Amino acid sequence: MPDNQPGDAGGLSGHIIVCGLDGIGVTIVDQLSRGGQQVVVLTEFGTALQLSSVQGRTAALVGPRGSLEQTLTAAGILSASAIVCVVAKDLRNVQIALQARHMNPAIRVVSQLGNTAVRRAMAVDNGPGAVIDGATLAAPSIVEACLGQHMHQMEFESTIFVAATVPVEHGTLRSVFGDLAPVAVTRPTLETAHPTVFACPGRDFVTEPGDTATMLGTPEELAMRDIAFVPSGPRERAGQGRVLTRLVGTLRAALGEFDRGLYRALVGLLLLISSSTMLLWWQYRKPGMTFLTSLYFSVETVSTVGYGDFSFTAQAWWLRVWAILLMLSGISIFAIIMAYVADFLISRRLNHSLGKRRARRMTDHVIVVGLGAFGLQVASRLIAAGKQVVVIERDERNRFLSEAAALDLPVIFGDATSVGTLEDARLRDAAAIAILTSDDMVNIETGIAVRDMLDDRWAAGSIPVVMRVFDQSLSRTIASRFGFQNIQSIEAITAPWFVAAALGLEVMGAFSVAGSPFTIGRLNIAAGGALDGVAMQGLSANTRVIALHRYTTGELEHPPRRGTRFSAGDTAYIIGPNDELIGVLRRATSGAAVGEPAIGEAVVG
């Protein structure tokens, strides 16, 4: 049966069902297909264009059959090994996952859920599979790019490892970095804006001027090579000068939330009290007044309190006229001040409509475009890192507004491609901007508008512009054409997690180097398995063993030496490009004969 025609999965066994082609769905199908898996796609969760894009990579396309139960039956749910639920709507994923688990308790159910409460509930007694939030997985890469960090922190068995990207001069990696493990070398190209990335090169790799190297080691090992490591997370230990700067900035931002009319009223009140104090000090008789007494009486009169200790009854007629004007002016000014204060207090309850006012005095802040599950994750992590954040959102009925209010996030409603909206967010004073809507073309249009507005700062590269683009080929085209340096392909970062979970494998982390995604995985060496007793050279030329936990001694070896062999019970932590790592993880659990041809020659520590 042609795979571009809806049918059923009759006769298939051990296949993987994919529900949802939006976002990362197409990439998941592609990676599963390249890994030799039979994939069945449900057509009701994909557009005609998406279905045509997976043509040739599926074993069957299954159309709707009335009820969800009937559709899953036609898709071969009883004989399938896994089902991946990545439909755009969380509740639909929940429905599919529950129905699949009911029909086949042994199947691996991998579902994408952005709602934290629903995700936690589904994770309880979920059985084989995983409940995954793509936003949580991809957010760290966006935050690192916004903060200009060139280090990715990871932790294995209480030991911290850091992948640090640093410039390197001409020479071999061994001569410059010694025992640090090379993860990638990035080389700029004249033809395109997208650099060439050499994944997991050997230590004898010869670098050229202009190259940057991503090297991996512990903080202590990095320090020995004069590479400073700044731990990720909230910056609570900033120096006194930075703390003072932050306090001043916070005070300015708080004062900036009030309408300017309030300050004009306060100035008027100050002038009124000052002039009255001087006049009474010089002209009040029977008895005379000291400066402090005249100040006290002026405030008493303006506020119309009237304690009865002083009066204007026995004073000159013009001073009594002044008292009348003083009381009337005081009442008017206090009424104006209270009106502005009331407006401020009421507006605080409507926080989402006051983004412009709160952003008015901000500097060195980060602008996040798009208040989705992903944008909210990025914003919360930036706040935890000590940054002020402003969000631009089009939809005034966005369902994440309550979460934004809980984080005290100012939200500016408007079109991020508009100069006026970007001015309201104070783009020219920002430290970075993250463009994170769910529409690739909107993100690209916004990026171009930002580039045009920044002008000199864009040319100088002084402000990171981080853009979320799902389509990997489109991201490369845009980077080459418009010179965007921080385009993050979310599908490339998150898809390996779903693929690995569907295959029953374990992925521990992911990050990108110059737009190329790298994945971190864990191998458990089974007795008599494919890797038991095998030297590390049998893994892959483009993967690297970070550390090896020895079952016999309980020690964590890092980096493993050349010729090191895996033993039953060991746990290996490896890193590499997505496809390479998934291939290694599959081989480790496939039970393939040790003597089969390896994917390539492994590079070890």
Side-chain angles (χ1 to χ4, degrees):
M1 176 189 305
D3 75 345
N4 60 345
Q5 296 296 326
D8 58 45
L12 293 180
S13 178
H15 57 286
I16 297 175
I17 304 171
V18 176
C19 309
L21 296 180
D22 282 335
I24 64 174
V26 173
T27 302
I28 291 173
V29 171
D30 180 57
Q31 292 189 3
L32 287 171
S33 177
R34 289 206 308 267
Q37 298 296 312
Q38 291 183 312
V39 183
V40 173
V41 172
L42 301 189
T43 62
E44 64 180 294
F45 303 115
T47 65
L49 180 61
Q50 291 166 348
L51 291 171
S52 66
S53 68
V54 299
Q55 182 177 354
R57 302 180 229 174
T58 61
L61 296 176
V62 177
R65 302 299 174 89
S67 67
L68 178 59
E69 181 179 3
Q70 293 172 323
T71 302
L72 291 176
T73 299
I77 189 70
L78 298 179
S79 59
S81 63
I83 181 169
V84 181
C85 310
V86 286
V87 181
K89 296 182 178 179
D90 277 3
L91 292 181
R92 193 59 166 152
N93 288 328
V94 170
Q95 179 188 12
I96 299 170
L98 292 175
Q99 183 66 51
R101 177 68 69 211
H102 173 72
M103 297 177 68
N104 184 354
I107 195 173
R108 285 191 294 273
V109 178
V110 183
S111 53
Q112 174 177 258
L113 295 176
N115 187 295
T116 303
V118 176
R119 187 169 65 252
R120 288 173 180 169
M122 287 293 293
V124 177
D125 298 327
N126 182 56
V131 181
I132 299 173
D133 177 21
T136 301
L137 302 180
S141 295
I142 301 294
V143 173
E144 289 170 8
C146 288
L147 298 179
Q149 293 179 346
H150 301 288
M151 297 187 179
H152 181 80
Q153 180 179 328
M154 58 201 86
E155 184 174 341
F156 307 133
E157 303 181 14
S158 302
T159 301
I160 294 177
F161 291 85
V162 180
T165 301
V166 294
V168 59
E169 298 297 330
H170 178 70
T172 65
L173 295 175
R174 187 188 305 276
S175 64
V176 178
F177 298 106
D179 286 339
L180 293 180
V183 174
V185 171
T186 305
R187 179 168 296 166
T189 56
L190 297 177
E191 295 78 11
T192 65
H194 194 74
T196 301
V197 178
F198 301 93
C200 298
R203 284 194 177 83
D204 294 323
F205 182 92
V206 179
T207 62
E208 298 178 358
D211 288 354
T212 57
T214 302
M215 309 300 295
L216 189 142
T218 64
E220 295 76 17
E221 292 169 344
L222 293 175
M224 292 176 63
R225 296 291 168 179
D226 297 324
I227 301 175
F229 165 61
V230 180
S232 61
R235 300 175 183 176
E236 299 294 341
R237 297 175 182 163
Q240 184 176 356
R242 178 168 291 185
V243 170
L244 180 61
T245 301
R246 245 194 346 255
L247 289 175
V248 172
T250 301
L251 179 61
R252 290 181 60 191
L255 294 176
E257 293 191 34
F258 289 96
D259 192 284
R260 293 183 180 179
L262 173 64
Y263 300 113
R264 287 193 286 267
L266 289 173
V267 170
L269 178 63
L270 179 62
L271 291 175
L272 183 65
I273 293 176
S274 300
S275 57
S276 176
T277 299
M278 299 305 296
L279 183 64
L280 295 178
W281 185 28
W282 291 335
Q283 298 296 326
Y284 193 91
R285 298 290 180 265
K286 301 178 184 179
M289 286 187 175
T290 65
F291 178 81
L292 181 60
T293 303
S294 61
L295 175 62
Y296 161 75
F297 188 34
S298 296
V299 174
E300 182 183 47
T301 305
V302 167
S303 60
T304 67
V305 173
Y307 291 117
D309 45 3
F310 294 98
S311 73
F312 287 90
T313 304
Q315 303 302 311
W317 67 267
W318 60 269
L319 207 56
R320 294 197 296 273
V321 172
W322 169 254
I324 295 172
L325 296 176
L326 191 64
M327 287 183 285
L328 292 177
S329 300
I331 293 173
S332 300
I333 292 176
F334 270 111
I336 293 172
I337 291 174
M338 293 307 298
Y340 280 121
V341 172
D343 174 68
F344 169 76
L345 294 175
I346 293 173
S347 297
R348 290 289 291 177
R349 291 180 173 270
L350 303 174
N351 183 52
H352 67 276
S353 66
L354 289 179
K356 297 179 184 178
R357 182 176 299 175
R358 296 187 61 190
R360 187 178 298 160
R361 300 291 182 181
M362 286 189 179
T363 58
D364 196 35
H365 56 292
V366 179
I367 302 172
V368 174
V369 179
L371 186 61
F374 188 45
L376 194 65
Q377 278 275 355
V378 171
S380 64
R381 289 173 181 267
L382 287 169
I383 291 173
K387 298 297 292 186
Q388 289 184 312
V389 180
V390 176
V391 176
I392 298 178
E393 169 59 36
R394 288 189 176 187
D395 185 7
E396 295 187 10
R397 295 176 294 179
N398 185 289
R399 68 188 182 96
F400 294 104
L401 286 175
S402 59
E403 287 90 339
L407 291 171
D408 198 28
L409 271 174
V411 180
I412 296 175
F413 291 100
D415 184 354
T417 65
S418 166
V419 173
T421 304
L422 295 175
E423 288 280 10
D424 289 337
R426 298 185 65 83
L427 174 63
R428 292 188 176 90
D429 295 316
I433 178 169
I435 308 171
L436 309 175
T437 77
S438 57
D439 189 317
D440 281 1
M441 298 315 298
V442 171
N443 291 342
I444 293 169
E445 184 181 2
T446 303
I448 294 174
V450 168
R451 174 191 174 186
D452 182 67
M453 184 172 171
L454 288 176
D455 198 14
D456 292 341
R457 289 195 67 185
W458 175 274
S462 60
I463 174 170
V465 178
V466 187
M467 186 186 303
R468 168 190 188 178
V469 175
F470 282 97
D471 191 306
Q472 297 180 62
S473 60
L474 179 61
S475 68
R476 289 190 290 269
T477 301
I478 295 301
S480 176
R481 175 63 179 83
F482 297 105
F484 291 110
Q485 300 297 321
N486 286 300
I487 296 184
Q488 299 284 339
S489 175
I490 305 308
E491 62 180 6
I493 295 173
T494 59
W497 295 76
F498 291 88
V499 173
L503 296 173
L505 310 173
E506 186 172 10
V507 169
M508 301 187 65
F511 65 99
S512 62
V513 177
S516 297
F518 283 74
T519 304
I520 306 159
R522 178 162 66 183
L523 288 175
N524 294 313
I525 311 301
L531 296 180
D532 188 5
V534 174
M536 293 185 188
Q537 285 88 342
L539 288 183
S540 168
N542 292 326
T543 60
R544 178 173 295 282
V545 180
I546 303 172
L548 184 65
H549 177 88
R550 287 299 191 182
Y551 174 74
T552 54
T553 64
E555 296 180 354
L556 188 69
E557 295 183 10
H558 61 87
R561 296 302 175 185
R562 186 172 299 277
T564 300
R565 292 182 177 271
F566 297 113
S567 299
D570 290 349
T571 301
Y573 300 93
I574 59 175
I575 189 171
N578 293 350
D579 290 347
E580 294 280 349
L581 188 79
I582 294 297
V584 171
L585 293 174
R586 285 190 65 245
R587 183 187 173 204
T589 59
S590 65
V594 174
E596 288 183 1
I599 302 172
E601 183 182 359
V603 181
V604 299

